[in-house]
């Protein structure tokens, strides 16, 4: 049984190697392969090195029985390297090359020890020498022939260090295996090959369900409280630019982040905020945009220049329409995969922007986090300190900041006659004030409300809200979901993990909520 599995695995690995060779010969000028002499190198591997075990067995009679699993371990060195190039992992993930250097040197040491009878220290030493020679070959090929395989001295040092660690670990593991029964040893070697195959699948990073889980884990550890931030280990720092462009309400300034990977087009995310941010929040938003870019998205955080200069407090939907149009011509983005991610009031303005006739047919998706559905109903909730859903009023205590800001927001939107709403908590009285207001002023609030644009919105919708939100009642998101679930694909999550749109500390007691939020984020990242 074990031998049969070894044969099947051997055939599969060899077919994989041949497949990757065919790919580089068919597409030698592909950016994944250009400038690395990969077609020639892979041909040498297939026609010589990959045949080492068959030649020694059938020609030299080196072993009484063919060592299938040691041959598989040996071949996995080449398969991992070729897969890394074909999946563009060397360019996409800055430190990916440490994996093949670790595994390759370790596998060589284990093969020298297990198949050729080298002593443990000799196997580690010879494997390290071979690895050093290969590193020197890569360096001098760059110098003499203009290839680009080595990124600098740090790259060589890291590769050699990882190779030495791999050699010691693999030989130590093999020594431990030799103490057990042969069958046990073979099964463990089979598990090593299976683990390597899993690594190759995981290596198709950011593609398919497994890649999405990798992205989600990297996002969560980067943006949520976490002792480690592995995203910075496996990705380059993105390019950060300050941009400016026009909108119907004047100039818009923005922070634009472009991934470091060398690709022609990326999916894009526009971050939509509704009010002027305090200085202490700028690093948080920039960090969030950088995280998205490290995950492979072009990220743009736009805001009106008058908001940036603190001449105004509130944004307009036109800011984000202009940002969408700017990205189509001013950045390397995939037009069909450009989405909005909104926070608080910015979620609602992002919804209105995504419903604008100029872009509505093209917007890919919207993440609606902590926004309102109807601005008049939201204003009434602030004034009465109660939120309504399906005709039922529930007590709700708005934050002091929200209570102070809303009257100014009504004035800024040109609906000053509605300010007396905040002088009473009687819903009947408030309804009369609204009914008596000029239609133009009611229209001004409706123009800023998702409730008035549901028929024009057609993008994928993800709605997230915290149940204890004191800035916007979560019932507003329930209303949005009820109005949209028959019109477009919509996902809703009401949770208890946030303070408005800020993450609370994660503890053992919040693991259940964290699991639900993780699933929600997984679906977002899989779609975006």
């Amino acid at each position: 049984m074990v031998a049969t599995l070894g044969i099947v695995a051997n055939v599969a690995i060899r077919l994989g190697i041949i497949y990757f060779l065919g790919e580089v010969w068919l597409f030698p000028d592909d950016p994944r392969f250009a400038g690395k002499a990969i077609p020639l190198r892979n041909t040498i591997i297939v026609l010589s090195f990959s045949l080492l075990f068959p030649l020694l067995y059938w020609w030299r009679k080196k072993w009484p029985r063919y060592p299938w699993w040691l041959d598989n371990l040996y071949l996995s060195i080449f398969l991992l390297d070729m897969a890394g190039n074909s999946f563009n992992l060397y360019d996409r993930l800055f430190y990916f090359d440490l994996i093949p250097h670790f595994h390759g040197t370790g596998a060589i040491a284990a093969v020298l020890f297990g198949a050729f009878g080298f002593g443990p220290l000799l196997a580690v030493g010879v494997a390290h020498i071979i690895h050093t020679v290969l590193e020197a070959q890569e360096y001098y090929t760059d110098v003499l022939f203009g290839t680009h395989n080595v990124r600098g001295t740090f790259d060589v040092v890291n590769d050699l260090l990882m190779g030495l660690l791999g050699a010691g670990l693999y030989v130590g593991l093999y020594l431990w295996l030799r103490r057990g029964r042969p069958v046990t040893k073979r099964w463990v070697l089979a598990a090593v090959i299976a683990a390597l195959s899993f690594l190759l699948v995981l290596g198709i990073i950011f593609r398919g369900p497994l890649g999405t889980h990798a992205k989600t884990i990297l996002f969560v550890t980067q943006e949520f409280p976490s002792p480690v931030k592995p995203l910075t280990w496996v990705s380059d720092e993105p390019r950060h630019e300050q941009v400016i462009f026009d909108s119907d309400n004047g100039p818009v300034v923005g922070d634009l982040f472009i991934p470091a990977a060398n690709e022609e087009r990326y999916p894009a995310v526009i971050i939509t905020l509704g009010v002027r941010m305090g200085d202490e929040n700028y690093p948080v938003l920039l960090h969030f945009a950088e995280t998205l870019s490290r995950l492979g998205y072009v990220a743009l955080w736009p805001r009106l220049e008058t908001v940036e200069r603190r001449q105004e407090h509130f944004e307009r939907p036109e800011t984000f329409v202009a940002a969408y149009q700017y990205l189509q011509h001013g950045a390397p983005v995939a037009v069909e995969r450009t989405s909005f991610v909104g926070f608080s009031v910015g979620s609602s303005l992002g919804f209105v922007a995504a419903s604008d006739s100029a872009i509505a047919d093209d917007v890919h998706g919207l993440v609606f986090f902590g926004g309102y559905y109807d601005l008049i109903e939201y204003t009434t909730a602030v004034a009465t300190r109660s939120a309504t859903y399906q005709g039922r009023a529930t007590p709700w205590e708005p934050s002091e900041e929200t209570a102070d800001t809303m009257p100014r927001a009504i004035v800024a939107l040109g609906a000053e006659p509605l300010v007396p709403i905040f002088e009473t908590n009687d819903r009947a009285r408030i309804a009369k004030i609204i009914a008596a207001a000029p239609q133009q002023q009611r229209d001004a609030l409706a123009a800023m409300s998702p409730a008035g644009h549901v028929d024009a919105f057609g993008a994928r919708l993800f709605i997230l809200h915290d149940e204890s939100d004191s800035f916007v009642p979560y019932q507003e998101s329930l209303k949005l979901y009820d109005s949209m679930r028959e019109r477009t694909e919509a996902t809703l999550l009401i949770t208890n993990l946030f303070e408005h749109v800020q993450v609370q500390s994660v503890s053992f007691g919040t693991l259940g909520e964290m699991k639900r939020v993780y699933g929600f984020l997984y679906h977002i990242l899989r779609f975006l």
Side-chain angles (χ1 to χ4, degrees):
M1 178 64 178
V2 175
T4 302
L5 287 174
I7 295 171
V8 172
N10 195 269
V11 172
I13 293 173
R14 290 184 182 277
L15 288 175
I17 289 173
I18 293 172
Y19 170 81
F20 291 131
L21 174 65
E23 188 175 35
V24 299
W25 275 109
L26 287 173
F27 309 105
D29 297 324
D30 190 289
R32 295 172 295 168
F33 312 129
K36 300 179 183 178
I38 290 177
L40 177 62
R41 187 175 68 187
N42 285 4
T43 301
I44 293 173
I45 288 172
V46 171
L47 297 181
S48 59
F49 294 119
S50 68
L51 301 176
L52 176 64
F53 272 73
L55 289 175
L56 289 176
Y57 179 72
W58 280 293
W59 182 41
R60 297 293 300 274
K61 305 297 181 183
K62 177 70 176 175
W63 305 280
R65 290 187 302 175
Y66 193 88
W68 291 107
W69 287 110
L70 285 169
D71 189 19
N72 291 341
L73 184 62
Y74 172 70
L75 291 175
S76 69
I77 300 170
F78 310 120
L79 182 67
L80 180 59
D81 177 67
M82 296 167 80
N85 284 302
S86 286
F87 294 137
N88 201 30
L89 300 181
Y90 287 103
D91 292 333
R92 288 171 62 87
L93 303 176
F94 190 76
Y95 290 109
F96 173 78
D97 68 319
L98 297 180
I99 297 174
H101 282 283
F102 176 86
H103 171 72
T105 313
I108 289 174
V111 166
L112 291 174
F113 177 59
F116 295 95
F118 284 46
L121 291 179
L122 181 61
V124 171
V126 172
H128 188 58
I129 291 172
I130 293 172
H131 187 207
T132 303
V133 170
L134 291 174
E135 278 292 304
Q137 170 265 315
E138 282 191 342
Y139 173 79
Y140 283 108
T141 300
D142 284 2
V143 172
L144 298 175
F145 301 105
T147 58
H148 48 86
N149 291 302
V150 178
R151 289 170 292 193
T153 304
F154 77 95
D155 195 24
V156 175
V157 173
N158 287 342
D159 290 347
L160 291 176
L161 179 59
M162 291 303 292
L164 187 59
L165 290 173
L169 180 63
Y170 278 45
V171 169
L173 177 62
Y174 203 106
L175 278 169
W176 177 75
L177 291 173
R178 289 182 64 172
R179 297 177 181 176
R181 294 177 298 172
V183 172
T184 303
K185 178 176 68 176
R186 291 168 185 167
W187 274 111
V188 173
L189 286 173
V192 171
I193 297 297
L196 179 63
S197 300
F198 176 78
L199 178 62
L200 287 175
V201 175
L202 184 62
I204 314 174
I205 199 74
F206 307 159
R207 298 181 185 180
L210 192 60
T212 305
H213 278 296
K215 287 174 70 172
T216 307
I217 292 169
L218 292 172
F219 177 84
V220 168
T221 53
Q222 191 73 8
E223 290 297 316
F224 287 59
S226 172
V228 293
K229 306 288 183 182
L231 180 60
T232 58
W233 307 343
V234 298
S235 63
D236 289 338
E237 184 177 353
R239 190 165 80 246
H240 180 197
E241 301 176 2
Q242 297 283 334
V243 298
I244 185 168
F245 47 91
D246 292 324
S247 76
D248 291 346
N249 296 303
V252 175
V253 297
D255 287 274
L256 178 67
F257 290 81
I258 300 175
N262 185 24
E263 294 189 13
E264 292 185 3
R265 300 192 309 159
Y266 304 90
V269 171
I270 298 169
I271 301 169
T272 63
L273 299 181
V275 297
R276 184 177 64 230
M277 299 291 295
D279 291 342
E280 70 279 4
N281 292 314
Y282 269 69
V284 177
L285 264 295
L286 293 175
H287 184 272
F288 177 74
E290 180 183 328
T291 295
L292 291 175
S293 194
R294 285 181 178 272
L295 290 172
Y297 302 95
V298 167
L300 173 62
W301 170 28
R303 56 267 187 201
L304 278 171
E305 189 175 54
T306 51
V307 172
E308 179 79 351
R309 292 180 178 178
R310 286 169 166 68
Q311 296 170 351
E312 289 188 69
H313 190 75
F314 301 100
E315 277 292 352
R316 300 293 190 275
E318 294 79 12
T319 298
F320 310 121
V321 175
Y324 186 97
Q325 294 170 328
Y326 169 79
L327 281 184
Q328 311 314 306
H329 307 288
V333 304
V335 178
E336 71 282 2
R337 292 188 62 192
T338 301
S339 305
F340 293 113
V341 173
F343 294 90
S344 190
V345 174
S347 297
S348 305
L349 301 187
F351 187 101
V352 175
S355 306
D356 191 287
S357 60
I359 64 173
D361 292 338
D362 301 317
V363 175
H364 187 52
L366 167 67
V367 179
F368 186 97
F369 186 10
Y372 61 81
Y373 172 64
D374 186 303
L375 186 50
I376 291 179
E377 290 188 13
Y378 171 41
T379 302
T380 302
V382 174
T384 62
R385 285 170 164 69
S386 64
T388 60
Y389 178 62
Q390 296 181 342
R392 179 184 177 185
T394 304
W396 172 68
E397 188 64 32
S399 68
E400 184 177 337
E401 181 181 346
T402 301
D404 291 342
T405 299
M406 285 305 298
R408 289 189 288 125
I410 297 301
V411 173
L413 294 174
E416 189 169 353
L418 293 175
V419 171
I421 287 175
F422 299 100
E423 297 173 1
T424 178
N425 61 4
D426 183 271
R427 285 187 173 272
R429 171 64 179 155
I430 290 174
K432 291 180 180 179
I433 294 173
I434 294 172
Q439 185 65 43
Q440 180 181 0
Q441 293 167 351
R442 283 182 283 161
D443 289 345
L445 299 189
M448 303 284 279
S449 299
H453 298 83
V454 293
D455 291 331
F457 185 92
R460 179 71 165 87
L461 182 60
F462 299 90
I463 306 170
L464 177 65
H465 214 123
D466 190 77
E467 192 171 6
S468 58
D469 193 338
S470 63
F471 286 78
V472 182
Y474 75 90
Q475 287 86 349
E476 291 294 302
S477 284
L478 295 179
K479 295 172 189 175
L480 176 63
Y481 179 69
D482 288 346
S483 69
M484 295 304 302
R485 60 183 174 181
E486 300 298 331
R487 291 181 167 87
T488 189
E489 187 176 358
T491 301
L492 170 71
L493 177 63
I494 305 298
T495 181
N496 281 306
L497 197 62
F498 300 92
E499 294 178 358
H500 188 36
V501 293
Q502 303 252 347
V503 182
Q504 298 185 49
S505 59
V506 179
S507 64
F508 182 79
T510 61
L511 288 181
E513 287 299 300
M514 189 66 226
K515 180 181 177 181
R516 297 174 66 227
V517 171
Y518 177 91
F520 185 80
L521 292 172
Y522 169 86
H523 288 295
I524 291 175
L525 292 172
R526 186 174 183 182
F527 177 80
L528 296 181

